[in-house]
Amino acid sequence: MSKAGRKALEEAVDSGNPELELQDKHIVKIEDLPGLFSMEHVTRLTLSHNRLVSLPPAIANLANLEILNLFDNHLEELPVAISSLNKLRILNVGMNRLDTLPRGFGSFPVLEVLDFTYNNISEETLPGNFFMLESLRALYMGDNDFEVLSPEIKNFKNLQILVVRENDLVDLPREIGELARLRELHVQGNRLQVLPPEIGNLDLQSSKSCLRLDSNPWVPMIADQLLLGTSHVLEMLRNQSYKFVYQRHLQTNAQYPPKNREAKERKISRVKPQLA
């Protein structure tokens, strides 16, 4: 760890500051931060832009932690103990090398924002209780390896932002239409050909809403309306002619567009770090 990192940690210990900012301090091991896990008063811990390869179970000692930012590290897994942080509201583990989330991950009682953008996670590697995170307001899971989303996503009753761009999605569950509070939906850069008609029931047309659909191999009916704007797509989803097209598409078991495997293999999250 750099001298600047040690100085920042020492100052936090001396001042009793509940917000500990240790981003971009060349930290490779948490063990390089002596006394960190005894700082129970800390409510915000920022360790982004470092070179951490692991997170010890002792992270659970920070019982008052509300915000944990681990963006842009070399983490390949998270400890099961992380879900013991009962006050955690915001967790950012984006831009790492995670293939899975730990068992019991869905037991955070007040987690509102979860960001695991740009990792290697898929529907097969989510823990069984993931969809019990009913307090979630924003879920960022773009640039991963999802091909489908579970219908259990309907359990996220408080979700306002859902970002699943740049995955391998070939289908969206109709249950997304049950997310009454959803105001942002980002599905660009997938393998989607159709949208469930239920998405047309969501409030995604107001000035404070956002719907991103570009860079998908849509059926002509959607592609044509998208040229006119997303509001035209939403209106089309509500009409009977589209519902017929949607049902026919499902029944014919249309062939899915191929994956862009070459692009996936070039991802930084696939490359093992070279540590000094």
Side-chain angles (χ1 to χ4, degrees):
M1 181 174 63
S2 66
K3 292 182 179 179
R6 288 192 178 89
K7 183 179 179 182
L9 182 60
E10 291 169 359
E11 289 177 350
V13 172
D14 293 340
S15 67
N17 188 347
E19 298 188 358
L20 186 52
E21 304 282 343
L22 293 170
Q23 66 268 28
D24 198 16
K25 301 297 184 187
H26 308 289
I27 302 168
V28 177
K29 297 179 180 179
I30 293 287
E31 290 77 9
D32 293 338
L33 303 171
L36 172 64
F37 295 128
S38 63
M39 300 173 66
E40 295 184 10
H41 65 284
V42 171
T43 59
R44 178 180 187 137
L45 175 59
T46 302
L47 287 163
S48 55
H49 306 294
N50 283 292
R51 292 181 292 166
L52 292 172
V53 296
S54 64
L55 188 68
I59 189 71
N61 294 349
L62 302 179
N64 291 299
L65 204 60
E66 297 178 14
I67 301 173
L68 177 58
N69 188 345
L70 296 161
F71 179 81
D72 188 18
N73 276 279
H74 298 158
L75 296 170
E76 296 183 5
E77 62 179 359
L78 298 174
V80 172
I82 195 172
S83 60
S84 299
L85 297 171
N86 290 330
K87 295 184 180 181
L88 200 66
R89 295 184 297 104
I90 300 174
L91 175 60
N92 188 340
V93 291
M95 192 70 77
N96 277 281
R97 293 171 168 82
L98 300 172
D99 295 319
T100 185
L101 295 175
R103 174 175 48 83
F105 189 85
S107 59
F108 290 105
V110 296
L111 191 67
E112 297 178 10
V113 179
L114 173 59
D115 189 339
F116 57 88
T117 303
Y118 209 92
N119 280 282
N120 305 313
I121 298 169
S122 72
E123 63 274 9
E124 297 176 354
T125 60
L126 287 179
N129 70 340
F130 179 77
F131 292 98
M132 293 178 65
L133 293 168
E134 296 182 9
S135 56
L136 275 186
R137 293 186 299 106
L139 176 58
Y140 302 90
M141 46 196 289
D143 287 283
N144 278 278
D145 296 334
F146 289 90
E147 290 194 36
V148 296
L149 296 179
S150 169
E152 290 186 67
I153 200 166
K154 67 182 180 181
N155 295 338
F156 295 157
K157 299 296 185 183
N158 294 299
L159 201 64
Q160 299 172 30
I161 300 173
L162 176 60
V163 179
V164 290
R165 59 174 176 76
E166 305 296 339
N167 275 276
D168 286 316
L169 289 170
V170 296
D171 189 25
L172 293 177
R174 305 183 79 141
E175 286 78 5
I176 284 183
E178 297 182 34
L179 302 177
R181 297 187 179 183
L182 199 68
R183 296 296 178 268
E184 289 192 30
L185 177 60
H186 301 249
V187 299
Q188 64 269 38
N190 281 284
R191 299 156 61 203
L192 296 168
Q193 296 172 285
V194 294
L195 289 169
E198 288 78 5
I199 287 180
N201 300 329
L202 298 174
D203 181 11
L204 294 171
Q205 289 184 258
S206 71
S207 60
K208 295 182 179 180
S209 298
C210 180
L211 175 61
R212 293 291 306 275
L213 301 172
D214 43 296
S215 300
N216 280 285
W218 299 116
V219 295
M221 195 171 187
I222 293 181
D224 291 346
Q225 294 302 311
L226 187 55
L227 291 175
L228 302 174
T230 55
S231 61
H232 290 265
V233 175
L234 289 169
E235 183 176 347
M236 179 203 67
L237 295 180
R238 303 183 193 110
N239 68 48
Q240 290 301 317
S241 59
Y242 174 76
K243 292 176 182 178
F244 173 79
V245 169
Y246 177 76
Q247 286 291 66
R248 187 176 62 182
H249 182 86
L250 297 184
Q251 292 167 358
T252 57
N253 295 314
Q255 187 174 2
Y256 297 131
K259 294 182 181 180
N260 189 344
R261 297 182 185 278
E262 184 179 347
K264 289 285 184 180
E265 292 306 317
R266 288 200 302 266
K267 286 178 63 178
I268 295 174
S269 58
R270 294 277 204 269
V271 180
K272 296 296 182 182
Q274 298 296 318
L275 301 179

